[in-house]
């Protein structure tokens, strides 16, 4: 059976650097609060709202990943795009990205799994490869949060966290007898907790998607989050789901070279490290530079970890894990060939 092997990674963030101090000027927050509670020091937002969508950021990340893999867009036989901030209501950002890549018939699939978009996306790519449905897949996680944030004090718990960005991966089905590629994954959803983190409007379930009499500054047009509840859920569920993948792969934590968690809050990832009793430098962090870029967080972190030489040699094993809106959570173990 073919193994799903990462052939190239790429990332892109827009050039507009927003430091915590810049946010102090527009809402009631402080650099100290943001650093202490989240670990974030800065994030990048698109320059001019409305001019750049998730597919644009994804396109830049994709070009870099394709170059690393030595692939042309025409080599792709499948594209998976994960985002909670699609460029337009429909069609999906995968379609828009495909056209930007100069393609006109390569199949695309959009997935809406928010912070676990990478985990669901890579598990899906692996299934397509193992069943022979595709052999050269581009996965992209891309988000433009900044055009949809409540940039008033009312929305400060979320607005200070989210950043824009994209990460991309080229994944190839390779014939090998080595135990490599995606070794195990474990995915979950609890839709009963959808209200804990969501943007409600515009909503197709209403007779009018933009309800009359509801102003565009209504909180229902912005993401709302029960932060403490999600924090507690993450700290409880992440170790559990990590152990599920370890069990499936018949491995233990000592065999993992690097853990790349979703970058939602530095304190969540530190608590995870304490719970798992792993050395602090075995957990990768870059939330300080980019904030939470949701579906882009893990692929950006993977790209940086590989660029820094933290992971990527033959035999290295990386464990990915995350929890976010849905609620969805999961983990995935990958071994480099
Ligand atoms: O990626 C998707 C999944 N999301 C997550 O995993 C997020 C998980 N949750 C979190 O990361 C944290 O809950 C937050 C960072 C969102 C909030 O941190 P917290 O330590 O849980 O704070 P809190 O919500 O309990 O609020 C504590 C205080 C409140 O003030 P009072 O009521 O104590 O006076 C908030 O109003 O902090 C206030 N606050 C802020 N103050 C300054 C909330 N946001 C801000 C802010 N600046 N940006």
């Amino acid at each position: 059976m073919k193994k799903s092997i990462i052939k190239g990674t790429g990332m892109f963030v827009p050039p507009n650097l927003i430091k915590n101090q810049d946010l102090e000027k527009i809402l009631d927050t402080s650099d100290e609060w943001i650093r202490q509670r989240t670990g974030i020091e800065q994030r990048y937002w698109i320059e001019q709202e409305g001019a750049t969508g998730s597919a644009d950021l994804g396109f830049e990340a994709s070009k870099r990943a394709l170059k690393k893999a030595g692939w042309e867009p025409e080599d792709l036989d499948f594209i998976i795009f994960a985002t909670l901030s699609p460029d337009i209501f429909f069609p999906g950002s995968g379609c828009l990205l495909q056209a930007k890549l100069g393609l006109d018939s390569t199949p695309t699939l959009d997935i809406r799994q928010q912070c676990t978009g990478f985990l669901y996306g890579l598990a899906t790519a692996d299934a397509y490869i193992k069943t022979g449905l595709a052999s050269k897949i581009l996965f992209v996680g891309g988000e433009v949060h900044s055009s949809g944030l409540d940039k008033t004090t009312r929305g400060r718990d979320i607005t200070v966290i989210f950043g824009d960005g994209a990460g991309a991966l080229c994944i190839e089905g390779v014939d090998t007898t080595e135990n490599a590629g995606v070794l195990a994954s474990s995915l979950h959803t609890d839709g009963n907790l959808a209200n804990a983190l969501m943007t409600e409007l515009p909503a197709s379930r209403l007779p009018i998607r933009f309800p009359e009499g509801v102003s565009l500054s209504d909180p229902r047009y912005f993401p709302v989050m029960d932060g403490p509840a999600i924090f507690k859920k993450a700290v409880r569920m992440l170790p559990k789901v990590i152990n599920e993948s370890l069990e499936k792969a018949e491995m233990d934590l000592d065999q993992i070279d690097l853990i790349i968690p979703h970058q939602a809050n530095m304190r969540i990832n530190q608590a995870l490290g304490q719970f798992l009793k792993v050395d602090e430098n075995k957990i990768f962090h870059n939330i300080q530079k980019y904030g939470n870029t949701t579906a882009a967080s893990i692929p950006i972190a993977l790209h940086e970890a590989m660029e820094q030489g933290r992971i990527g040699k033959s035999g290295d094993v990386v464990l990915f894990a995350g929890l976010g809106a849905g609620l969805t959570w999961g983990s995935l173990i990958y071994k480099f060939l």
Side-chain angles (χ1 to χ4, degrees), residues 19-266:
K19 291 182 175 285
N20 291 346
Q21 290 80 357
D22 297 320
L23 297 178
E24 287 175 353
K25 293 176 201 151
I26 57 170
L27 44 86
D28 181 13
T29 190
S30 67
D31 175 46
E32 195 193 0
W33 190 97
I34 301 170
R35 278 176 199 257
Q36 278 180 4
R37 300 291 182 120
T38 71
I40 298 168
E41 296 167 17
Q42 59 178 50
R43 75 287 294 137
Y44 295 86
W45 284 354
I46 58 167
E47 199 73 60
Q48 191 195 337
E49 291 177 10
T52 308
S54 299
D56 297 296
L57 302 185
F59 179 50
E60 294 302 326
S62 299
K63 283 193 286 190
R64 289 158 174 78
L66 287 166
K67 192 167 174 215
K68 266 267 163 53
W71 294 0
E72 295 300 326
E74 292 71 24
D75 295 328
L76 297 170
D77 53 17
F78 199 47
I79 297 171
I80 301 174
F81 200 114
T83 187
L84 70 68
S85 50
D87 300 59
I88 50 179
F89 208 74
F90 76 86
S93 296
C95 302
L96 307 187
L97 172 69
Q98 188 246 34
K100 286 179 196 297
L101 288 167
L103 303 170
D104 59 12
S105 73
T106 311
T108 65
L109 176 71
D110 269 51
I111 56 172
R112 298 285 305 271
Q113 303 316 116
Q114 300 68 247
C115 304
T116 56
F118 172 84
L119 302 169
Y120 274 79
L122 189 49
T124 304
D126 186 46
Y128 267 74
I129 283 170
K130 286 184 173 151
T131 52
L133 286 171
S135 62
K136 283 191 170 159
I137 301 180
L138 174 68
F139 167 83
V140 183
E143 306 284 2
V144 173
H145 285 300
S146 59
S147 53
L149 295 174
D150 180 353
K151 292 174 188 148
T152 69
T153 297
R154 184 181 64 183
R156 64 183 175 173
D157 56 333
I158 292 190
T159 299
V160 302
I161 291 176
F162 280 156
D164 302 340
L169 248 69
C170 292
I171 308 142
E172 182 166 23
V174 173
D175 273 314
T176 173
T177 52
E178 294 286 326
N179 183 33
V182 177
L183 303 185
S185 63
S186 196
L187 304 173
H188 296 278
T189 295
D190 184 355
N192 298 296
L193 300 173
N195 290 359
L197 175 49
M198 69 167 183
T199 299
E200 192 187 346
L201 295 176
S204 58
R205 65 185 175 186
L206 299 177
I208 303 170
R209 290 177 188 184
F210 292 87
E212 266 177 64
V214 178
S215 102
L216 285 175
S217 61
D218 190 275
R220 289 195 286 160
Y221 281 110
F222 299 103
V224 289
M225 172 168 74
D226 184 347
I230 294 191
F231 193 106
K232 282 183 209 137
K233 191 89 179 167
V235 172
R236 206 166 62 244
M237 300 315 283
L238 289 176
K240 208 168 161 220
V241 78
I242 284 172
N243 282 324
E244 283 177 16
S245 281
L246 286 169
E247 253 173 53
K248 285 185 193 171
E250 297 179 356
M251 298 179 90
D252 58 46
L253 263 178
D254 294 344
Q255 293 167 279
I256 303 297
D257 295 294
L258 189 66
I259 297 173
I260 301 185
H262 172 50
Q263 307 290 307
N265 187 318
M266 182 84 92

